[in-house]
Amino acid sequence: MDYAYRLLMLLSALTLCLLPFSSCSAPSVGFYAGSCPAAEIIVKNTVRSASDLDPTIPGKLLRLLFHDCFVEGCDASILLQGNGTERSDPGNTSVDGFAVIDSAKRLLEIFCPETVSCADILALAARDAVEYTGGPSVQIPTGRRDGRISAAANVRPNIIDTSFTLDEMAKLFFAKGLSMDDLVTLSGGHTIGKSHCSSFNDRFKLDPDGNVTVIDSSLDQQYAVQLTKMCHAGARDDSITVNNDPGTPFQFDNQYYKILLEHKGLFQSDSALVKDNRTMNKVVEFANSQDGFFESWAVSFLKLSIVGVKTGDEGEIRQSCPMPNR
Ligand code: HEM
C-alpha cells in the first residue's frame, strides 16, 4: 500500500515536472538538462565501452538495478561497501557490474561535481544495458537521491528466491507497487545474462554412473542433461556459469518466453510462470510478439526504476558510489 501510494504520488509529480516552465525537485525526464547536460550520454558511453570489452556486462547491470530497487528502493544502497551492507549479504554475492557504475561516476565527478546521483547512474546504466543488447530504448526520469542506509538484514526479506511460488513472488512484487503482469514482463530480463550452476542445480541430479535424474519435472529432460554436462565440465566448480537464454544469450529479445514454453526456463521461478493461468497468457502473448514484450517492458521497467526513490531533501548525492559522504 505504501509503495502503491508513493508510486501514485511520484507519477503525479512526474506529470507536473513535464509541464513547460515547471521547476521541481521530484524526478523528471531530463532532470540534469540544466545542471549536467552530458550526464546521460556519459553513462551511455561508459556502458557501451564496458560492454564492447566484456559482453557479460549488460546482464550484470540489469540485475544490479533489480537488486538495488527491491531493497530500500532505487537509491544505490547496494553500491555501498563495508561489513553488514546489502552488498556484503550472501544473497548479493553473485551480483556484479559495480566497476562500470564507479567509472561513470568518476567521469561525472570531473564534468559535474556533486551533481549526479549514483542511483540515477545505476538506473540509466541498466536502461542503456537493455538498449545495448537490442532491447527497447526507454525514457526514464532522473533526480533520484542516494540512500545512506544499507543493511544486509534487509536483503533476504526483499529478494526473491528461485524456490518461491508464484504467489510468493507476486506478494513481494505487490509490496513494491508492481503487478503480476510486471512480474512476467520484468522476468524477461532473463533473456540476457548468465547464472551460476549453484542457482539451479537442485533441479537435477547426476549419479556416479553418469545418469541424470530430473528432480523438477517442469524442466525439459534433454535440457537438464545438457545443463548437467555444462555444470560438471571438468572438476566440480562453483564458478561455472551458463547462459540464461541458450539461444540468443546476448540479445535482449522475446526468446525467454519461447524457452519458457519449451520448459527450458533455468530457474524453478521461471518455470512457475508457465504453470499458472494468471501468468501463462502473458507468456504466450510475449512469445508471439516481441513488440508486445518491448511495449510492456518500457512500462514495467519505468515502474521498477522508481520503486521507493528518495527525492527532495531525502538522502544525498554521493561523491563516490561505494561510500556515503562524510
Ligand atoms: C522474479 C524473480 C527472480 C528470481 C528468482 C531471479 C533469480 C536470479 C538468479 C538466481 C540469477 C542467477 C545469479 C547467479 O547465479 O549468478 C539471476 C540472474 C539474472 N537476473 Fe534474475 N531473478 C528474478 C527476477 C529478475 C528481474 C525482475 C530481472 C530484471 C529486471 C532479473 C535480471 C537478471 C539478470 C539480467 C541476470 C543475469 C545476471 C548476470 O549475468 O550476472 N531477474 N536471477
Side-chain angles (χ1 to χ4, degrees):
M1 190 65 180
D2 182 40
Y3 271 98
Y5 177 72
R6 285 180 71 115
L7 180 66
L8 190 69
M9 296 306 287
L10 192 61
L11 288 175
S12 329
L14 285 176
T15 314
L16 286 177
C17 291
L18 292 175
L19 292 173
F21 313 118
S22 66
S23 99
C24 57
S25 61
S28 53
V29 173
F31 182 87
Y32 297 112
S35 59
C36 187
E40 298 207 14
I41 196 74
I42 288 176
V43 175
K44 195 180 283 291
N45 286 342
T46 308
V47 170
R48 188 184 302 134
S49 313
S51 307
D52 283 349
L53 286 173
D54 176 358
T56 69
I57 291 294
K60 290 172 177 168
L61 291 172
L62 182 57
R63 184 164 181 242
L64 187 57
L65 179 73
F66 173 50
H67 280 226
D68 182 43
C69 294
F70 263 50
V71 185
E72 282 290 334
C74 308
D75 68 346
S77 50
I78 197 169
L79 304 181
L80 292 173
Q81 267 177 333
N83 286 340
T85 57
E86 289 171 28
R87 189 167 168 173
S88 72
D89 187 82
N92 280 330
T93 308
S94 60
V95 174
D96 206 345
F98 300 96
V100 181
I101 308 301
D102 292 344
S103 299
K105 179 64 174 173
R106 272 194 298 273
L107 274 174
L108 284 163
E109 283 302 297
I110 295 169
F111 289 102
C112 320
E114 297 174 34
T115 305
V116 183
S117 68
C118 298
D120 277 340
I121 297 172
L122 178 48
L124 291 169
R127 182 273 305 265
D128 294 339
V130 168
E131 196 185 318
Y132 178 90
T133 46
S137 55
V138 182
Q139 267 209 335
I140 55 165
T142 40
R144 295 166 191 75
R145 292 179 60 86
D146 297 325
R148 296 182 59 85
I149 296 169
S150 180
N154 290 338
V155 174
R156 286 285 155 174
N158 287 292
I159 286 298
I160 298 177
D161 192 85
T162 52
S163 65
F164 276 24
T165 63
L166 182 63
D167 283 311
E168 286 168 333
M169 291 194 276
K171 193 174 166 207
L172 211 40
F173 265 63
F174 290 153
K176 313 292 175 192
L178 299 168
S179 65
M180 188 85 92
D181 283 354
D182 293 322
L183 168 64
V184 179
T185 306
L186 291 169
S187 294
H190 288 165
T191 181
I192 56 170
K194 287 175 160 283
S195 296
H196 291 80
C197 292
S198 53
S199 297
F200 55 84
N201 63 8
D202 55 345
R203 304 183 81 193
F204 44 79
K205 202 170 68 191
L206 182 69
D207 72 21
D209 301 327
N211 301 314
V212 177
T213 310
V214 181
I215 297 167
D216 183 342
S217 61
S218 59
L219 183 64
D220 177 82
Q221 176 92 30
Q222 300 288 358
Y223 190 47
V225 172
Q226 244 177 289
L227 289 171
T228 312
K229 282 188 188 147
M230 287 189 262
C231 288
H232 290 267
R236 199 183 173 113
D237 183 351
D238 283 346
S239 68
I240 294 177
T241 55
V242 308
N243 295 324
N244 286 347
D245 169 354
T248 55
F250 301 108
Q251 190 69 30
F252 193 97
D253 53 18
N254 65 339
Q255 193 68 24
Y256 168 76
Y257 300 100
K258 296 181 184 171
I259 284 163
L260 286 189
L261 294 175
E262 292 168 10
H263 304 287
K264 293 178 182 169
L266 202 49
F267 308 127
Q268 187 247 291
S269 49
D270 294 318
S271 300
L273 302 179
V274 284
K275 282 188 193 157
D276 196 301
N277 279 339
R278 288 172 296 168
T279 45
M280 182 63 163
N281 292 346
K282 275 273 163 228
V283 171
V284 172
E285 184 190 321
F286 293 158
N288 289 329
S289 166
Q290 180 156 292
D291 288 348
F293 167 46
F294 280 11
E295 270 170 39
S296 292
W297 178 267
V299 175
S300 299
F301 181 82
L302 168 66
K303 285 171 76 178
L304 173 67
S305 82
I306 55 173
V307 166
V309 290
K310 297 183 170 57
T311 59
D313 57 5
E314 294 174 294
E316 62 184 8
I317 305 296
R318 253 177 247 157
Q319 287 161 359
S320 164
C321 293
M323 279 180 298
N325 297 339
R326 298 259 160 234

